[in-house]
Amino acid sequence: MTDYQVVEFEQAEFDERVIEIGRVAKVVKGGRRFSFRVTVVVGDNRGSVGVGVGKANTVPDAMRKASEHARRSMQKINMSGTTIPHEVIARVSGAEVLLKPASPGTGVIAAGGVRAVVEAAGISDILTKSLGSSNVLNVVYATVEALSSLKSAKEEAARRGKDIKDVIPFWERRKNVN
């Protein structure tokens, strides 16, 4: 009984955002059959985020399916304080997303699906640009791909053979010097 309550509490702390509710049609012999496709982003505001898509004949069922899929597909991302460690570009189909780190106090400069994904992950200072296609589903997937391809400052410093001070963003270097 106590395990069930713990699971319920853990689910309550997730930040769940509905990105898109779309009506889709399947053409059959007698005409069209309509159903709903829901895209949901789930994050814990501490560096984990997942995207889920659910289809059903009713919106609540599609939302439930999307939410379950998003929770199963959650992945940890590397963060550097309240921003990301380095600039990254990711492409999914025709949608391309550019994410750049920003100094503290900048806020989330993003719109639509990118903003929802970034905020659900817990990033509060970032600059973004959506390039190419504006298809919401592909933009969301490109954002998640970009976030999952981020490397930590330690990994990048080791890969380049440099000191970690040379890899971290310049505003972090100023803090360490003073």
Side-chain angles (χ1 to χ4, degrees):
M1 187 73 178
T2 58
D3 291 337
Y4 178 75
Q5 291 171 343
V6 170
V7 169
E8 192 173 326
F9 175 74
E10 287 176 0
Q11 288 181 350
E13 70 184 52
F14 286 131
D15 183 5
E16 191 171 302
R17 297 167 188 246
V18 177
I19 305 285
E20 177 188 37
I21 299 175
R23 193 174 81 158
V24 294
K26 175 183 179 184
V27 179
V28 292
K29 187 177 173 184
R32 294 186 187 98
R33 292 236 175 101
F34 292 104
S35 61
F36 295 94
R37 181 184 76 184
V38 177
T39 308
V40 172
V41 171
V42 173
D44 65 354
N45 292 324
R46 291 189 304 273
S48 292
V49 68
V51 176
V53 177
K55 284 186 189 174
N57 288 332
T58 61
V59 174
D61 289 341
M63 287 177 74
R64 181 185 48 76
K65 287 180 183 180
S67 177
E68 288 172 4
H69 186 263
R71 290 173 199 273
R72 281 195 309 265
S73 70
M74 283 183 77
Q75 48 189 298
K76 196 82 174 145
I77 61 164
N78 285 313
M79 290 175 54
S80 175
T82 60
T83 187
I84 57 177
H86 57 87
E87 187 176 316
V88 65
I89 297 176
R91 184 181 183 103
V92 170
S93 198
E96 196 171 6
V97 174
L98 164 69
L99 305 177
K100 291 174 86 171
S103 56
T106 304
V108 177
I109 310 299
V114 179
R115 174 179 281 272
V117 172
V118 165
E119 286 180 347
I123 299 169
S124 58
D125 298 306
I126 192 167
L127 303 169
T128 68
K129 180 67 181 166
S130 178
L131 310 161
S133 171
S134 60
N135 180 317
V136 177
L137 192 57
N138 288 339
V139 168
V140 168
Y141 279 139
T143 307
V144 171
E145 186 179 307
L147 290 174
S148 64
S149 69
L150 290 171
K151 297 180 183 79
S152 69
K154 288 180 184 177
E155 282 179 45
E156 196 62 17
R159 187 182 71 82
R160 293 187 197 174
K162 292 188 172 189
D163 192 36
I164 196 164
K165 288 182 279 186
D166 299 330
V167 180
I168 59 175
F170 68 90
W171 54 86
E172 294 291 328
R173 286 182 232 155
R174 282 188 290 196
K175 285 183 198 169
N176 295 339
V177 170
N178 292 338

